[in-house]
Amino acid sequence: MKTRPLIAVASLAALTLAGCSAQGGSSTDDSAAAESSGATTLRYAAVGAPAATTDDPHGRVSNESDYLRFAMLYDVLTVTGPDGTAQPRLATSWEPVDGDLSRWRIQLRDDATFSDGSPVTADDVLFSLNRIQGKGAENNGRLSMFDLGASSATSEHELELVTAQPYAEVGAALSSLTFVVPEGSEDFAGAEVPGSGPFALDAADDTTATLHRNDDWWGGEPGVAELQITAMPDPSARASAVASGQADVAGSIAPATAQQYEDSDGFEVVRRAGAVNYPLVMDTAAEPFEHPEVRRAVKLALDRQALVDTVFLGYGETEADVLGAKDPFAPDLAPVERDVDGARQLLDDAGFPDGVELTLHSTGSYPGMEETATLAAAQLEEAGFRVTVETDPPDTYWKKVWNVEPFYLNSLGGNGFVDFARMALVPDGPINETGWTDPAFAERFDEALATGDETERHEILAGLQREVAQDGGYAVWGLGDGLDLTSDAVENVPTGTGFSRLQIERIEVAGG
């Protein structure tokens, strides 16, 4: 089954950004009032292809520009904090009702309203969760851990959620993409569906969305009065938009571009530590990766420091194949040291004394993916692999290569281990791209989620991370910094990974 990647960007397109202007009436007095109140416009050039734009926050979303728009329009239940734990947003608390962790009481804010003034209720939340789960074939099976048919709204601002099995990480399960919309919402075209986020929609087309500040947002006054989000697939074009004064923020620029502007007057490079992850993905059910020795040989053959230095230009650090390395329970493993002779011996042990022929697929969706493939292939050659690199265009890569070919690069961003394992490391996971179907692993994963004691649960999860690092189909050679370019008039740009990078409501622009 082919579904969309965890993070993907499609085809290229050219576009022009709107100019910056203060918001206010046509008269001089109105303009002066707008300026004195700090009413400004933020123009954000985000990763995204206009051809892949969608208006539905619950279905298939391929553009970061769309996720950014949805994050500003439709609030979520919880978010992941800097320490990796779930933090309140629309949900103020989540507590188990019973001892086996399968019934949870979710308390909601009582001061949240949609942009049309109607209150956010438990019925709205339950409707939204059902809609997300119902579109599981489009959104990687989100919320599949819940039995929503057995769940109910118990009061205006409280609901009881039932899980299909004991699930201790409900707070994390409700984080990030649980966009809440009014009950009954189905048609998301235009500005018909109000949200409870910091902004409301004025207008949108496939390229640019314009939003205005929601003055009644429960979270206080956002940093700007107007937000313009433009989908731009090319990282150089995003950076050029800021350099030419057409944009205030360029999301996800290339490391070489960051070096260019690092010490330039008038610009700032914002670093999001550990936000970029381009693992080599090996299908453990396909030849030759069905042999654990071959997978280990790939991991041993990589010169991780050279990859970090070349691909990330120093904006990153080497890694030890750990998925979710920034999780609070992640094992502290030393980066794998390159051992070419050891890799050759592992190939011999697997029955390949003369080496292995491979095709490594890559694309230009994100800065550095093509460079990763080229350098990794050269390093693998030294250990007995004969590697052909095929570079596929972004508009077809995530449909024809991802979750299809046995050896390719993915972009995993800041995904946490629990959510990722549920989707990709259990036998019935909706995006099990590495064919990892170890029943013992799945049993221990279920055991962890049924363990109420956090310390014990974290010990089990850390052990599972170690197991995948050693024998799994992901060669996580390094984590790079996410890099954004801004004008020096911009302040409070988020520095987190994953969804937290999209929480831009506190960004301010001086003299926009």
Side-chain angles (χ1 to χ4, degrees), residues 308-320:
V308 168
D309 291 344
T310 302
V311 176
F312 298 141
L313 300 182
Y315 294 105
E317 58 187 10
T318 58
E319 266 301 332

Side-chain angles (χ1 to χ4, degrees), residues 120-180:
V120 177
T121 69
D123 288 330
D124 298 315
V125 171
L126 195 57
F127 168 83
S128 300
L129 298 183
N130 270 292
R131 194 170 187 276
I132 294 168
Q133 189 182 79
K135 291 178 172 287
E138 302 176 32
N139 60 33
N140 298 331
R142 290 203 61 81
L143 303 181
S144 61
M145 72 288 292
F146 291 107
D147 181 354
L148 293 178
S151 302
S152 62
T154 53
S155 72
E156 186 177 11
H157 296 107
E158 182 182 280
L159 61 157
E160 184 174 289
L161 292 183
V162 179
T163 56
Q165 62 188 63
Y167 203 91
E169 296 285 342
V170 161
L174 296 175
S175 70
S176 302
L177 303 182
T178 50
F179 299 116
V180 174

Side-chain angles (χ1 to χ4, degrees), residues 42 59 83 133 154 157 171 175 232 257 260 269-270 277 294 296 310 317 342 425 458 482 486:
L42 170 67
D83 62 352
Q133 189 182 79
T154 53
H157 296 107
S175 70
M232 301 185 73
T257 304
Q260 177 184 351
V269 174
V270 179
N277 179 3
V294 174
R296 293 174 190 163
T310 302
E317 58 187 10
L425 295 175
H458 284 185
T486 77

Side-chain angles (χ1 to χ4, degrees), residues 287-367:
E287 187 74 24
F289 301 116
E290 63 182 0
H291 301 279
E293 297 88 352
V294 174
R295 303 195 296 270
R296 293 174 190 163
V298 168
K299 296 172 184 179
L300 272 183
L302 296 176
D303 185 336
R304 295 159 191 255
Q305 190 61 58
L307 280 164
V308 168
D309 291 344
T310 302
V311 176
F312 298 141
L313 300 182
Y315 294 105
E317 58 187 10
T318 58
E319 266 301 332
D321 304 313
V322 175
L323 291 167
K326 297 300 182 181
D327 284 332
F329 49 79
D332 185 15
L333 302 181
V336 178
E337 292 188 12
R338 192 183 195 208
D339 184 350
V340 174
D341 291 336
R344 285 184 175 275
Q345 183 60 54
L346 284 170
L347 289 182
D348 195 2
D349 294 344
F352 300 99
D354 299 323
V356 175
E357 290 192 8
L358 299 172
T359 298
L360 175 59
H361 293 264
S362 184
T363 186
S365 285
Y366 288 87

Side-chain angles (χ1 to χ4, degrees), residues 386-475:
R386 296 181 296 279
V387 184
T388 300
V389 175
E390 288 193 8
T391 302
D392 299 84
D395 58 344
T396 60
Y397 188 80
W398 304 106
K399 294 181 180 179
K400 297 183 178 180
V401 174
W402 176 82
N403 215 8
V404 175
E405 296 292 342
F407 194 36
Y408 60 87
L409 290 183
N410 199 350
S411 174
L412 296 184
N415 297 94
F417 180 73
V418 171
D419 197 40
F420 186 80
R422 182 189 59 79
M423 292 189 292
L425 295 175
V426 295
D428 59 349
I431 52 169
N432 195 335
E433 60 182 335
T434 63
W436 184 256
T437 57
D438 182 357
F441 177 96
E443 289 177 7
R444 289 194 298 276
F445 184 63
D446 288 344
E447 177 189 354
L449 293 176
T451 302
D453 183 89
E454 183 177 76
T455 300
E456 294 180 19
R457 182 168 70 253
H458 284 185
E459 287 178 358
I460 299 172
L461 292 171
L464 295 175
Q465 285 177 302
R466 291 189 187 93
E467 182 177 338
V468 177
Q470 177 175 336
D471 293 326
Y474 293 97

